[in-house]
Each structure stands twice: as C-alpha cells, then as structure tokens.
C-alpha cells in the first residue's frame, strides 16, 4: 500500500487555475500540458506519488515550443545538473536543460519540500519553500512575459524574445545566472557544528537553510571535505531546507 504523503490539489488549485487561464488566453504562445487523467496520449512519466492528485489534472506549461514547467518527466538522468543529487527518488525535476535544472526535493517518505535551482556550477539556489510557492512564482513570470511579448514578432524572433523575457523574470535568478550575492551564500559546516537534527549516517557537511531567505546559495563544489567532490551526493533534511553532503 502506498503511504507517501499526498499533496492535496486544493492547496494549489488557485495557481493551477491561473496557469490554465494564461495558456487558454494566450494560445499563440503558451500551451497547457494535460494531466494524466485528461490526456488521450500514453505518457511514460513516473511522478512522485505525493503529486498524484495534481498530475491527474495538470502536466505543465510549454512556451513557444519550450517546456518551461513539467510535472510529467519521462526520462531521468544522473548527469549534468543532477550529478551530485544522489538517488532519483530524492528529487523531481520541474524544468531542465543539459546544464541547469529546477528540482522539487523529496524526503525519505516521498513528501515534497523546498524547490531549488541548479546552475552549471552545480551550486544550489533556494527558489521556494514548497511547490505551491514556486508555481506562483512561475505564474508571475509567465504572466509578465506574455504581457510584454511584442505582438509584431513572429517565428524565431518571437521564440527568442519569449525565452529572454522568462530568463529576465525567473530563470536568471533561480538558476544563478546573475552575479552571485555573497551575502546569500550559506556555508557547508561540519556535522558536529550543525543544529540540524537527525542527520543521516555518513554526513560530511551540512548547510542549514531553515532560516535562509529565497535566493540563498550553497556551493557544493567548495565543500571542504575529503575525496573527489564529484563523488559526493546530497541528502535533504528539514523539508529540503537542510542540505547534507554524503560520501560517494
């Protein structure tokens, strides 16, 4: 029997309705990805059980043929931005390119937690405390992009303008593409210096983001721990707000 915590669709209903409305109002540019219960196509996605109610109705958003939000990931990989993330059951991609990603953290019981962006340098950027807040942030960026798109643009020029606007309104910040603010860096400390409870066995370092603001950054590659940094992997605690580095 599945005992994974279920995220009720009522908790995100307003933002899902908003995203659906944006797609329907701007059919020229935005396309709604249908949920599993309403699509006529076979979908090979395997979303977390906790998102079952949501993905039945809502699959994501495509802007100008680019998938910018998806809850129905088909292919999983452990390379690129996922290199240090460990087991695929501990996170779920919401957006990805070969070099960057936005992920939803999952705890050991499969409960969703905080949302992080990962850039080319593999640093983690706290994007939102939970999925609903990230969906709201995404909806704000999408609405601004659709409102600002020049109606005279066509074809590739329109594609490029839409991509740039979404970068300006969202992805530059969440993927760490702008110059980092040192004040937002959260250090990785020795487990003995951490106040995070119930650390997993084998913990080498801990970054405590429980009180950190959105935008906080954890540079995994700068961890002062023995061994090859690329052989480390991440575990989450405190609803994804504590980043724990484990040995390979």
């Amino acid at each position: 029997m599945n005992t994974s915590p279920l995220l009720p669709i009522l908790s995100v209903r307003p933002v899902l309705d908003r995203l659906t409305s944006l797609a329907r109002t701007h059919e020229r540019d935005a396309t709604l990805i249908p949920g599993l219960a309403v699509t006529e196509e076979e979908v090979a996605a395997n979303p977390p059980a906790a998102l079952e109610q949501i993905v039945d109705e809502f699959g994501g958003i495509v802007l100008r043929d680019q998938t910018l939000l998806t809850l129905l990931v088909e292919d999983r990989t452990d390379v690129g931005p996922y290199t240090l993330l460990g087991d695929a059951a501990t996170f779920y991609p919401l957006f990805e390119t070969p070099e960057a990603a936005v992920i939803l953290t999952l705890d050991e019981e499969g409960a969703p937690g905080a949302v992080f962006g990962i850039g080319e340098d593999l640093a983690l950027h706290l994007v939102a405390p939970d999925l609903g807040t990230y969906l709201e942030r995404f909806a704000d960026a999408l609405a601004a992009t659709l409102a600002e798109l020049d109606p005279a643009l066509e074809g590739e020029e329109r594609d490029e303008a839409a991509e740039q606007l979404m970068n300006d309104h969202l992805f530059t910040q969440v993927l760490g593409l702008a110059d980092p603010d040192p004040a937002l860096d959260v250090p990785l400390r020795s487990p003995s210096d951490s106040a995070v409870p119930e650390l997993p066995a084998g913990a080498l370092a801990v970054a405590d983001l429980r009180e950190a603001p959105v935008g906080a950054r954890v540079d995994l590659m700068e961890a002062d721990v023995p061994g090859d940094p690329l052989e480390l992997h991440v575990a989450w605690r405190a609803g994804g707000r504590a980043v724990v580095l484990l040995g390979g």
Side-chain angles (χ1 to χ4, degrees):
M1 182 176 65
N2 180 16
T3 59
S4 295
L6 185 68
L7 185 62
I9 194 168
L10 288 177
S11 67
V12 294
R13 171 64 71 195
V15 69
L16 295 187
D17 288 347
R18 183 183 178 201
L19 288 167
T20 300
S21 177
L22 283 169
R24 290 174 176 169
T25 306
H26 298 271
E27 292 182 346
R28 178 184 180 188
D29 300 305
T31 303
L32 186 70
I33 300 173
L36 294 175
V38 295
T39 185
E40 297 180 356
E41 300 179 3
E42 184 175 347
V43 179
N46 185 26
L51 303 185
E52 178 181 337
Q53 288 188 355
I54 297 171
V55 299
D56 270 352
E57 294 191 23
F58 178 85
I61 292 287
V62 177
L63 180 67
R64 303 295 301 174
D65 294 327
Q66 184 179 8
T67 301
L68 298 186
L69 171 66
T70 180
L71 301 180
L72 298 176
V73 175
E74 295 188 25
D75 298 319
R76 303 296 298 275
T77 177
D78 59 359
V79 298
Y82 310 120
T83 299
L84 301 181
L85 291 193
D87 191 279
T90 64
F91 68 95
Y92 194 64
L94 304 174
F95 166 79
E96 60 184 357
T97 72
E99 297 83 23
V102 176
I103 60 135
L104 174 68
T105 62
L106 301 169
D107 70 13
E108 292 176 304
E109 285 74 42
V115 176
F116 284 89
I118 309 169
E120 289 187 64
D121 60 359
L122 302 183
L124 296 173
H125 303 262
L126 181 63
V127 174
D130 51 59
L131 177 62
T133 305
Y134 177 69
L135 293 178
E136 290 283 2
R137 187 172 179 180
F138 179 88
D140 289 344
L142 180 64
T145 293
L146 293 169
E148 295 171 21
L149 263 178
D150 185 343
L153 293 176
E154 299 285 352
E156 291 185 6
E157 287 186 336
R158 193 168 185 83
D159 296 345
E160 292 172 0
E163 181 178 6
Q164 185 59 54
L165 284 167
M166 281 299 294
N167 285 342
D168 293 344
H169 290 299
L170 182 67
F171 290 117
T172 293
Q173 292 76 37
V174 304
L175 299 178
L177 302 178
D179 292 336
D181 181 354
L184 292 175
D185 284 349
V186 177
L188 284 153
R189 303 186 183 280
S190 167
S192 61
D193 297 330
S194 171
V196 176
E198 299 181 0
L199 293 177
L204 299 176
V206 184
D208 187 353
L209 289 82
R210 289 177 296 174
E211 302 298 329
V214 166
R217 176 177 179 271
V218 181
D219 191 343
L220 300 177
M221 298 300 290
E222 290 298 316
D224 185 16
V225 296
D228 184 347
L230 292 176
E231 293 183 356
L232 302 173
H233 63 278
V234 169
W236 316 105
R237 289 295 184 270
R241 297 295 291 263
V243 178
V244 185
L245 272 184
L246 305 175

